[in-house]
Amino acid sequence: TGTIPTEIGKLSNLRGFWLEENAVTGTIPTEVGSLSHLETLSLYDNFLTGEIPPELFDLSLQACNLTGNDFTWNVAPPGCEL
């Protein structure tokens, strides 16, 4: 429960971020797009809303699952399930 803090962008060496089925609310912070080493992003089955930050399109994700949320923009970054 809660939101994804903007401070996540400070985890510059983060390679995987899994936060599935945790009743997370709010939006995906744009700071996630600064995680240049991120390979896996899994945020499925939460209560995330808003647009997917365009910064995510610049990441080279090997695996990504954003299903089960309520995004207003239905275009997923490369490699992402929406």
Side-chain angles (χ1 to χ4, degrees):
T1 303
T3 61
I4 301 171
T6 58
E7 290 82 8
I8 191 165
K10 295 178 182 177
L11 302 173
S12 59
N13 290 318
L14 190 68
R15 294 193 182 276
F17 184 46
W18 295 268
L19 205 59
E20 308 102 350
E21 301 174 341
N22 277 285
V24 177
T25 59
T27 60
I28 299 175
T30 58
E31 289 81 1
V32 172
S34 68
L35 301 173
S36 59
H37 296 290
L38 194 65
E39 298 172 350
T40 303
L41 178 63
S42 187
L43 302 173
Y44 69 84
D45 288 345
N46 284 290
F47 300 103
L48 295 168
T49 58
E51 292 188 358
I52 297 170
E55 292 83 358
L56 290 186
F57 288 81
D58 296 329
L59 298 176
S60 297
L61 297 170
Q62 295 176 9
C64 178
N65 191 338
L66 303 175
T67 60
N69 290 286
D70 193 23
F71 296 112
T72 56
W73 194 29
N74 291 324
V75 176
C80 278
E81 292 179 51
L82 187 60

